[in-house]
Amino acid sequence: MTATIPNLPSLYDPFSTEAKWQKFWEDNQVYKADPNKGGEPYCIVIPPPNVTGSLHMGHAFESALIDTLVRYHRMQGRNTLWLPGTDHASIAVHSMLEKQLKKEGKTRYELGREKFLERAWQWKAESEGTILNQLRRLGVSVDWSRERFTLDEGLSKAVVEAFTRLYEEGLIYRGEYLVNWCPASQSAVSDVEVENQEVNGNLWHFRYPLTDGSGFVEVATTRPETMLGDTAVAVNPNDDRYKHLIGKTLTLPILQREIPIIGDEYVDPTFGTGCVKITPAHDPNDFDMGKRHNLPFINIMNKDGTLNANAEEFQGQDRFVARKNVVSRLEADGFLVKIEDYKHTVPYSDRGKVPIEPLLSTQWFVKIRPLADNTLEFLDQQTSPEFVPQRWTKVYRDWLVKLTDWCISRQLWWGHQIPAWYAISETDGQITDNTPFVVAKSETEAWEKAKLQFGENVKLEQDPDVLDTWFSSGLWPFSTLGWPEQTQDLATYYPTTTLVTGFDIIFFWVARMTMMAGHFTQQMPFQTVYIHGLVLDEKGQKMSKTKGNGIDPLLLIDKYGTDALRYTLIREVAGAGQDIRLEYDRKKDESASVEASRNFANKLWNAARFVMMNLDGQTPQQLENPVATELSDRWIISRYHQVIKQTTNYIDNYGLGEAAKGLYEFIWGDFCDQYIELVKSRLQADADPVSRRVAQQTLGYILEGIMKLLHPFMPHITEEIWQTLTQQSADSPQTLPLQIYPQVDANLIDLALEEQFELLIATIRTIRNLRAEADIKPGVKVTANLQTESEKERKVLTAGQSYIKDLAKVETLTITDKQENQTVATKKPQRGLKTIGLIIVAIVFGRVALAAGNAIDDIPIIGTFFELIGFGYTAWFVSQNLLTAQARQKLWRQFFPQKELEQSQEPENAIAGVIGTIQVLIPLSGVVDIEAVRAKLEKSLSKAEAEVESLSTRLNNPSFVDRARADVVQGARDALAEAQKQAEILRERLKGLS
């Protein structure tokens, strides 16, 4: 019976293959973590994407990096958990719902909090699946059974626990502070939600008169309306122009308020006039200065961006309307000096898309220094966490040192409502800045506390604000594992192993997680923080919504497949933390780099098909591991184990890009282009059965190993090939993600052998290149002469001559010593005369020998005896001196002494190449149309020489060199050098045909 030979379809279809295995992995809970399994844990929690979001290239890049690490460590036998989840994106969802309500002619206050939240949860249920399904398309190996959401019951419990503990420890307080205020969403926003934009604005100069009438000082500002809240003017105490004024007072224009002149070293004497107006309630730097000098804090702004009663005649005006009116009034009163055009940076609310206002507001704050200092101790004393690349450690540390108190309240409804209840019965039924409150874990507990403090008739109202999203995100590494409960997941997988994230949120998320974890768990939440770079567009620019230069990863997945995109993103990483550039043609929505990865997948697919068609229906397990005897088998096995060692070393040290490149070179170059070609003749039906089986064993062994090595990078195609190769049962198949990653066997690595084989491969490559240069047709076999003075190289070439003949299409191959490969002096007439002389001598000698033979022949018995001796000697002479080229050359040198010889010349009409110290000669006579080749080379040479002449003339023209742009001149010089080199090569080729 003939064995059934499993095989793959002729063409690889990434779309059906990827969908099939994504469903299989999830349906069979292949990635479900088991804390009871044992083994060293490896845990990563996903940086939770916003529930409002859709997959962008940053998500794709980050997910590909994490999944590669997770799959690798799972295959290393570690007890692996990658925990997925999403963030509730408080401001984003809130803003989106308010826009919807505005279109309907409604406000959230008209709708009411309960109905508003019902609408938010309904929207979340409909839209949350978008990004999760997109993550599924990336083939991420997460444990979907543990999926978390920052507003789910468990995480909400963790948030309340954290808030109440911090409050009871005196680390959370309610107070007045300057915050980033978004008038559009009417909420405080965090620093990360502020986007600085460069704008073309103005710098207004005003005079503030001295109260004693002795003169005035000039101030400059980009926000004239804020002068209504000025409470001082500051100068540098070392500024000789103004230090005599410190302590005097000014009369604030319009409002006629008396304000002091203060001295503060923060003031830069070189900026503007050296006099700075101080508005403590509306500028962060002025706020700090106001506290240092005990200045009044006057708020002139309502929460909707209009001016309040402190602005007097400008009350009720929008801030930008008031700006124009204040300038007009100052100009009318004679205080306006000048207006300058001024380009400067303005902070915008990322969500509200309007300029933020620094606003004095009563908010909830975390005392950050105790948390930050504790985290600094972990860093300085234990180097925990460890940053990769290490350079980010200093950035992280500097941030922790500079942190100030953290505003954690947001004036929104979607989010974790602050667990504080106000005794409004104490302040006429209203929540004011002075209303007393209790903090509790539940409303029931709040009532119990409030009754004890304020009596049975107390009326309570929960704080309407919600917590900053980063508060819940800061708990993510341990709240997702069950904290504050002491769960088995928490005991097994915490602290997590690695955090993979972008450098742009080290400050806003990484630091918050380490501070929260250090305080609540007395451990850092992860051992290592792997910081990745950005995905840049085809011009090397950062992708952004503002520029509109983003690249949709799903578009590329639909065109080339998930594995191709994943592999491209990882392969492009030149080093840990480096940005990557993605080639992209926006007109065609195509990427040459992703297409190259798809071609790699096709190459692998076709190689796998060839191997399986030549295994006689057997699996690698049935064939058993090879015991290599032939040179090529030992070489590929050595290379394979060298690549295992290289790949594991790279991944263990976060060199994912280098690992991907190394696998590409081994799979495409060594395995597909070299080894498979080398063993084709051994796979024929009439080949030696022992050699054939070893070739089959080696092919199966290496191909299965490649599937395992490559799986973390390209999970779908490797699973499909592996399943077919190993002939898994449809009823209870094993799966590649749960196989053991290849382990290196140092005994099978032979570096000397690899070096020798590289010489063979380089020789084959050179012969192939020479064939191409000479336009020798693929089916035509050639004669090749390899010359080297190195005996070691000659032995290597001799041992691998069958490979050279097979792969380079060589019919006659000679391997000679350069020193011995010498001939008579190059003067052809002399060589011809000597040859004729040798022939004449041979004829005379033959005639004499014939005469002597005839004489001896007449003597009985002796004649027969001499005939036998003559026949034997002739046979010996021919075998020793005439059968090989080297023997004939040696015989020639006996007749013509060495002093008459010169180095051999390349045969006429031959093409030559060099590999190190090896010279390769291929005679062309009878192989190609030499005249046609010569004509082609001469035409190319003429074109190159014309280019040289044109560029030389251009560069010798002073007008061009002096007036053209530097890059244009350099481009011409580079082109000239290239044309000169090309002409030189062409002349050498023509010389070989002379």
Side-chain angles (χ1 to χ4, degrees), residues 510-541:
V510 178
R512 282 171 169 78
M513 287 189 286
T514 55
M515 288 188 294
M516 290 290 209
H519 184 77
F520 289 116
T521 73
Q522 291 74 53
Q523 298 181 83
M524 288 296 94
F526 19 73
Q527 297 166 19
T528 305
V529 181
Y530 171 41
I531 300 295
H532 61 74
L534 302 174
V535 183
L536 306 178
D537 70 6
E538 66 278 12
K539 296 179 180 178
Q541 297 179 342

Side-chain angles (χ1 to χ4, degrees), residues 61-81:
F61 181 40
E62 186 170 82
S63 297
L65 291 170
I66 298 175
D67 198 44
T68 299
L69 290 171
V70 169
R71 287 180 183 274
Y72 167 77
H73 285 286
R74 185 183 290 114
M75 294 179 75
Q76 289 283 6
R78 298 182 71 174
N79 189 343
T80 304
L81 167 62

Side-chain angles (χ1 to χ4, degrees), residues 6-14 17 601-610 612-613 717 720-721 724:
N7 209 347
L8 301 165
S10 58
L11 295 175
Y12 174 52
D13 177 10
T17 299
N602 290 337
K603 180 85 170 181
L604 179 64
W605 184 265
N606 291 331
R609 289 187 75 245
F610 172 82
M612 282 185 261
M613 285 190 293
I717 188 173
E720 180 73 15
I721 293 173
T724 308

Side-chain angles (χ1 to χ4, degrees), residues 14 18 55-61 64-65 134 137-138 535 543 551-572 580 582-584 591 593-598 601 713-716:
E18 291 167 357
L55 191 69
H56 58 67
M57 198 57 75
H59 286 130
F61 181 40
L65 291 170
Q134 290 172 339
R137 288 204 63 189
L138 281 171
V535 183
M543 296 184 194
I551 302 172
D552 183 358
L554 293 179
L555 189 151
L556 294 178
I557 287 174
D558 289 338
K559 187 179 289 287
Y560 302 110
T562 296
D563 282 351
L565 177 63
R566 284 174 53 129
Y567 187 73
T568 301
L569 293 172
I570 296 172
R571 188 188 61 199
E572 292 299 316
I580 67 171
L582 187 63
E583 292 182 64
Y584 190 63
S591 171
S593 53
V594 183
E595 184 177 3
S597 294
R598 185 199 60 188
F713 301 89
M714 303 180 82
H716 306 90

Side-chain angles (χ1 to χ4, degrees), residues 83-152:
L83 192 147
T86 50
D87 188 275
H88 62 278
S90 186
I91 290 181
V93 173
H94 191 98
S95 299
M96 183 272 302
L97 290 175
E98 285 207 315
K99 288 177 182 177
Q100 289 183 358
L101 290 172
K102 187 175 182 180
K103 289 180 180 179
E104 299 170 11
K106 302 176 184 177
T107 68
R108 61 168 160 145
Y109 301 102
E110 292 171 346
L111 193 65
R113 188 177 192 121
E114 185 177 346
K115 293 293 183 183
F116 181 87
L117 291 178
E118 284 179 7
R119 192 160 177 163
W121 279 103
Q122 180 182 356
W123 181 88
K124 180 259 182 187
E126 294 171 354
S127 64
E128 181 183 29
T130 301
I131 195 163
L132 294 179
N133 288 333
Q134 290 172 339
L135 286 171
R136 283 177 164 91
R137 288 204 63 189
L138 281 171
V140 294
S141 58
V142 300
D143 182 351
W144 290 109
S145 70
R146 284 175 165 81
E147 180 188 337
R148 304 307 298 267
F149 176 54
T150 46
L151 285 181
D152 68 28

Side-chain angles (χ1 to χ4, degrees), residues 762-776:
T763 302
I764 292 167
R765 188 182 301 116
T766 300
I767 296 175
R768 285 174 165 175
N769 291 341
L770 292 174
R771 291 176 60 104
E773 289 175 13
D775 288 333
I776 299 173

Side-chain angles (χ1 to χ4, degrees), residues 824-836:
V824 184
T826 57
K827 294 182 180 179
K828 295 179 184 178
Q830 291 181 2
R831 182 167 56 190
L833 290 172
K834 290 178 179 178
T835 301
I836 293 170

